[in-house]
C-alpha cells in the first residue's frame, strides 16, 4: 500500500508541473489543449504539486 501511495504522490507532483507548464505556455502540448496560456491552471498545478510533496512528507514520517 505504501508503494502505491508513493507512486500516487509522485504522480501528483509530476501532473502539477505539467499543469504549471501548460498554464504558463511553456509546455504547449497538445496544441489544442484548453489549458495552454490559462493562468488558473498555474495555481491548480502549484496546489497539486504541494499536495504531492505534502503526501510524500507524510509518508516519510510514518
Amino acid at each position: 500500500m505504501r508503494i502505491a501511495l508513493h507512486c500516487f504522490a509522485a504522480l501528483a507532483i509530476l501532473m502539477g508541473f505539467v499543469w504549471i507548464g501548460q498554464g504558463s505556455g511553456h509546455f504547449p502540448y497538445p496544441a489544442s489543449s484548453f489549458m495552454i496560456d490559462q493562468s488558473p491552471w498555474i495555481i491548480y498545478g502549484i496546489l497539486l504539486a504541494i499536495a504531492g510533496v505534502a503526501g510524500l512528507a507524510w509518508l516519510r514520517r510514518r
Side-chain angles (χ1 to χ4, degrees):
M1 186 66 174
R2 285 180 62 87
I3 294 172
L5 291 174
H6 274 89
C7 290
F8 184 73
L11 185 62
I13 295 168
L14 180 64
M15 281 180 52
F17 283 126
V18 168
W19 288 2
I20 292 167
Q22 284 187 328
S24 64
H26 293 298
F27 183 65
Y29 180 80
S32 63
S33 177
F34 62 92
M35 295 169 59
I36 296 174
D37 288 327
Q38 299 294 318
S39 59
W41 288 102
I42 297 171
I43 307 280
Y44 301 149
I46 290 170
L47 293 174
L48 185 61
I50 289 172
V53 169
L56 284 179
W58 179 74
L59 285 168
R60 186 177 177 116
R61 292 187 63 173
R62 285 186 58 184

